[in-house]
Amino acid sequence: MSADRLEELIALMARLPGLGPRSARRAVLHLIKKRGQLMAPLAQALAEVAASARDCVVCGNVGTQDRCEICADPRRATGEICVVEDVADLWAMERAGVFKGRYHVLGGTLSALDAVGPEDLRIPQLIARLGEEEVTEVILALGATLDGQTTGHYIADEIAAAGVAVSSLAQGVPVGGELDYLDDGTITAALKARKRL
Ligand SMILES: [Zn+2]
């Protein structure tokens, strides 16, 4: 193995969230030391997931089928759709285990600064779902940031026109991109105390 390949691996690892060049180097060294127990199974798992991972055609969650496990589960057809910015937020909601409906992943927030418009997010797909599914309530679980709130207001206006109830997770808790950092009890409380818009 050439030193170049090793450096390439370290450079790739350093692009992972939370890993800088120093920790990437340490992680690679650890993997090489544990190549039998850790590196080989990790490489195999990465290859398998890379080959099969796809975005759910309905909600934008990641999985290994066209429809993710949540969308494919008939017990989750409660009429409630929880709108989140990112898959990490969906996973945080699932970890709390309190929401029994389905999701819609936007893939970001509207941003005038970064020129992100509704068509750049999965907002048209959300509106389309209102006509295709028996939706009774859309719950916005978006960030407390300016862009998150702007996105929420935009979606609420669009949905109100479709005659579907809209609510938002309780204010006062940092939601959206930070859902992942909340404990399960806080997420549960924010969902239960959601407000009708
Ligand atoms: Zn899905």
Side-chain angles (χ1 to χ4, degrees):
M1 182 177 57
S2 72
D4 282 355
R5 291 295 274 169
L6 201 52
E7 288 302 323
E8 193 185 326
L9 177 59
I10 293 166
L12 284 169
M13 292 281 282
R15 286 162 62 179
L16 294 175
L19 283 191
R22 276 172 72 105
S23 39
R25 195 166 287 278
R26 221 166 33 227
V28 167
L29 184 59
H30 182 76
L31 285 169
I32 291 172
K33 283 180 184 168
K34 305 267 181 195
R35 51 192 174 278
Q37 309 101 296
L38 190 57
M39 195 175 211
L42 176 66
Q44 191 181 348
L46 282 173
E48 284 174 11
V49 173
S52 62
R54 63 196 67 192
D55 296 340
C56 173
V57 294
V58 180
C59 76
N61 186 16
V62 294
T64 56
Q65 308 288 329
D66 284 345
R67 274 170 185 256
C68 71
E69 284 189 2
I70 296 169
C71 287
D73 184 349
R75 289 168 301 181
R76 305 290 299 246
T78 62
E80 294 177 347
I81 292 181
C82 179
V83 177
V84 293
E85 289 175 23
D86 193 80
V87 174
D89 301 320
L90 187 163
W91 287 359
M93 290 290 293
E94 282 298 288
R95 207 180 51 221
V98 65
F99 181 65
K100 305 299 182 197
R102 290 175 176 168
Y103 295 93
H104 195 85
V105 181
L106 293 177
T109 50
L110 295 173
S111 170
L113 204 62
D114 298 321
V116 179
E119 305 294 326
D120 300 310
L121 305 174
R122 301 183 69 258
I123 292 177
Q125 290 92 327
L126 173 64
I127 305 304
R129 284 181 72 180
L130 302 182
E132 293 158 4
E133 300 174 30
E134 299 268 315
V135 181
T136 53
E137 182 181 358
V138 172
I139 300 160
L140 303 174
L142 303 173
T145 59
L146 183 60
D147 284 345
Q149 295 304 299
T150 302
T151 308
H153 287 303
Y154 178 84
I155 292 174
D157 285 348
E158 293 283 309
I159 290 175
V164 175
V166 191
S167 59
S168 177
L169 285 198
Q171 297 294 311
V173 293
V175 294
E178 302 111 43
L179 265 185
D180 203 19
Y181 297 101
L182 294 183
D183 64 80
D184 299 351
T186 307
I187 291 177
T188 301
L191 180 66
K192 288 191 171 154
R194 65 184 183 272
K195 293 183 314 184
R196 279 295 165 93
L197 297 180

